[in-house]
């Protein structure tokens, strides 16, 4: 069983990193001293702000969640369950069930699909965030398998906000822990395990999520004691959750539910699985602008209606959802940041009409199109501009692919450097990233295709992602934050970074785009 105290402390460190918390003191402190002196202050502010609490659709992860594919193979009269990387360490059962064919292998949970199911669906709270999305509470722990099989009853929200699922958790993917008894459980729910991963069939969450009894306890600054043995919340063991009686300490916020007041969920919350894993909140799911910006109370996201007003082309709800995901991921999260970002995207792609460089021209043939770039540009056809900010050059594609591999394989020590600051070594860093990822058993074929296929693939699969990445790699958020608000003339500063050598007419078009956006993004 994982150590709860250690997990919470690691989560606290993530919060510090992700919120860019800086005490502005103790520059010469070690990490240990900084945690002891400063982290409690940060957590107190964090835990008292409802914008940091999980809402419907929050991303979850488990300490025993395996990012490597799992499969069952029927061979030599046996049933073998193993992860693909450690095939020799298979869990074996001494027979093949009727209807299963010798020599067949079946894989569970494709990674792109698993990203969609590692979610928390909140059903109990009556309160909603500024986004109009239902808050999560400690009661949100029912798994879909138990609800569908009648072990637990479904919960119907009574607050009028639609529910995306009849249970709180579908799956965390494939479970790293494997036992012989798991084989029968997986076979019993074959189709669901294929789709959602083995966790769907195996997860066993305890009765409630558990929160630290005060923010100070996470860093050991509370006398109430915070050992794992006394703070597991396991029903089978039967301990009472300790509480903090120190008035000045900071407690978790509570929300109204169908069952009275219940504590909310943050990145410090834990849900134990009796198989041995600990589930935590990875991303709380709220979208909000920075502290100095006006929150979108009614229309937080950039909506399809807003883009239609801008004359955007080739619009689908899926592409708008992807835009909003990218705005969140790359922290393009203030009114000014969004205006400047979209002003550039509008010009680079003709308001979404052309996601590949110069595809708007009427070429006589595909060969003519390719020859033009191969004979008249230094970067060639494969690495011509693509995506909403026209990612270009071989080193640009290599750096983007390396960054995406680094994001996917966060447990590996992969080096990425921005083309903004470094001019060489991109091929070597990409090759090293691919080698490390594949040696660890990751499937990164989709990121390798960024380099192998270039512009056509990026335009099709990573149009918004590549734009958000390019914005981040060029540190555009910091530059925007230093510009005057509501000032079309300030757009030139960003244009000089995105496309410095573009025409004077193009500079003016981007200023005009910003003026349009001032009326729509407020």
């Amino acid at each position: 069983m994982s150590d709860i105290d250690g997990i919470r402390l690691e989560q606290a460190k993530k919060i510090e990193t992700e919120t860019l918390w800086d005490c502005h003191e103790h520059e010469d402190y070690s990490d240990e001293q900084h945690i002891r002196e400063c982290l409690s202050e940060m957590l107190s502010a964090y835990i008292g702000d409802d914008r940091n609490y999980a809402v419907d659709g929050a991303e979850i992860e488990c300490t025993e969640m395996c990012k490597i594919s799992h499969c069952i193979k029927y061979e030599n009269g046996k049933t073998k369950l193993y992860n693909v990387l450690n095939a020799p360490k298979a869990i074996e059962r001494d027979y093949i069930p009727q209807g299963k064919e010798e020599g067949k292998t079946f894989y569970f949970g494709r990674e792109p699909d698993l990203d969609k199911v590692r979610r928390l669906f909140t059903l109990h709270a009556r309160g909603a965030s500024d986004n109009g999305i239902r808050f999560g509470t400690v009661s949100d722990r029912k798994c879909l398998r138990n609800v569908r099989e009648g072990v637990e009853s479904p919960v119907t929200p009574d607050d009028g906000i639609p529910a995306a699922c009849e249970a709180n958790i579908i799956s965390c993917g494939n479970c790293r822990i494997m036992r012989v008894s798991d084989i029968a459980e997986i076979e019993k729910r074959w189709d669901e395990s294929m789709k959602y991963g083995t966790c769907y069939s195996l997860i066993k969450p305890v009765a409630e999520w558990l929160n630290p009894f005060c923010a100070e306890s996470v860093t050991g600054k509370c006398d109430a004691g915070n050992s794992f043995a006394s703070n597991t919340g396991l029903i089978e063991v039967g301990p009472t959750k300790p509480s903090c009686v120190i008035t000045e300490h900071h407690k978790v916020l509570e929300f109204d539910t169908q069952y009275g007041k219940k504590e909310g969920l943050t990145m410090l919350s834990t849900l134990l699985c009796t198989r041995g894993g600990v589930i935590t909140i990875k991303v709380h799911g709220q979208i909000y602008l920075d502290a100095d910006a006006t929150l979108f109370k009614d229309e937080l996201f950039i909506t399809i209606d807003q883009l239609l007003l801008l004359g955007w082309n080739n619009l689908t709800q899926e592409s708008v959802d992807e835009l909003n995901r990218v705005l969140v991921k790359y922290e393009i999260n203030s009114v000014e940041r969004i205006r400047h970002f979209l002003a550039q995207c509008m010009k680079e792609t003709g308001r979404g009409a052309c996601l590949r460089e110069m595809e708007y021209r009427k070429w006589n043939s595909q060969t003519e199109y390719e020859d033009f770039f191969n004979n008249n540009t230094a970067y060639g056809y494969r690495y011509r501009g693509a995506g909403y900010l026209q990612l270009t050059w071989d080193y640009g594609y290599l750096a983007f692919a390396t960054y995406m591999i680094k994001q996917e394989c966060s447990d590996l020590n992969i080096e990425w450097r921005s083309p903004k600051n470094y001019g060489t070594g991109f091929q070597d860093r990409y090759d090293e990233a691919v080698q490390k990822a594949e040696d660890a058993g990751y499937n990164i074929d989709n990121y390798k295709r960024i380099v192998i296929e270039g512009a056509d693939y990026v335009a099709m699969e990573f149009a918004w992602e590549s734009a958000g990445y390019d914005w981040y790699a060029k540190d555009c958020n910091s530059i925007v934050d230093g510009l005057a608000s509501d000032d079309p003339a300030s757009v030139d500063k960003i244009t000089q970074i995105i496309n410095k050598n573009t025409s004077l007419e193009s500079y003016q078009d981007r200023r005009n785009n910003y003026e349009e956006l001032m009326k729509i993004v407020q």
Side-chain angles (χ1 to χ4, degrees), residues 378-430:
Y379 45 80
Y381 175 79
R382 183 191 300 181
Y383 298 125
R384 70 197 189 281
Y388 282 98
L389 282 183
Q390 298 289 281
L391 183 73
T392 315
W393 294 93
D394 56 352
Y395 61 80
Y397 283 80
L398 287 164
F400 177 45
T402 303
Y403 181 82
M404 296 302 290
I405 295 170
K406 179 180 175 68
Q407 294 275 297
E408 176 75 15
C409 312
S410 56
D411 56 326
L412 305 179
N413 185 26
I414 289 174
E415 181 184 13
W416 169 83
R417 293 187 178 184
S418 169
K420 176 177 180 286
N421 301 318
Y422 297 89
T424 60
F426 296 103
Q427 183 70 59
D428 290 341
R429 284 189 287 274
Y430 168 75

Side-chain angles (χ1 to χ4, degrees), residues 154-204:
V155 178
T156 303
D158 63 357
D159 57 6
I161 302 175
C165 182
E166 65 266 37
N168 304 118
I169 298 172
I170 298 174
S171 167
C172 287
N174 290 311
C175 185
R176 185 181 288 110
I177 299 170
M178 294 183 290
R179 306 182 178 110
V180 174
S181 58
D182 295 341
I183 297 175
E185 296 298 314
I186 293 167
E187 288 177 332
K188 189 189 302 183
R189 307 167 183 93
W190 190 262
D191 291 342
E192 291 87 353
S193 296
M194 293 280 284
K195 185 175 182 181
Y196 303 135
T198 61
C199 175
Y200 175 90
S201 298
L202 305 176
I203 187 173
K204 295 180 180 179

Side-chain angles (χ1 to χ4, degrees), residues 44 55 81 112 121 128 163 169-170 235 261 290-291 293-294 319 342 353 376 399 409 430 447 453 466 499:
S44 300
V55 294
L81 170 66
F121 301 99
I169 298 172
I170 298 174
I235 299 303
K261 291 280 189 181
D290 64 31
T294 302
S319 69
L342 291 179
N376 296 284
C409 312
Y430 168 75
Y447 304 133
E453 300 179 32
S466 64
N499 196 342

Side-chain angles (χ1 to χ4, degrees), residues 87-104:
K89 300 179 181 179
I91 303 299
E92 295 187 353
R93 183 183 62 189
D94 292 330
Y95 69 90
I96 295 176
Q98 186 175 1
K100 299 298 182 182
E101 185 178 344
E102 173 83 24
K104 289 286 188 180

Side-chain angles (χ1 to χ4, degrees), residues 2 5 37 43-44 55 102 104 117 121 135 159 181 189 227 230 275-276 312 347 419 468 473 478 480 482:
S2 301
D5 292 347
E37 297 297 329
L43 290 178
S44 300
V55 294
E102 173 83 24
K104 289 286 188 180
V117 300
F121 301 99
F135 280 112
D159 57 6
S181 58
R189 307 167 183 93
S227 70
S230 65
R275 286 178 59 81
W312 214 275
K347 181 57 182 178
S478 296
V480 169

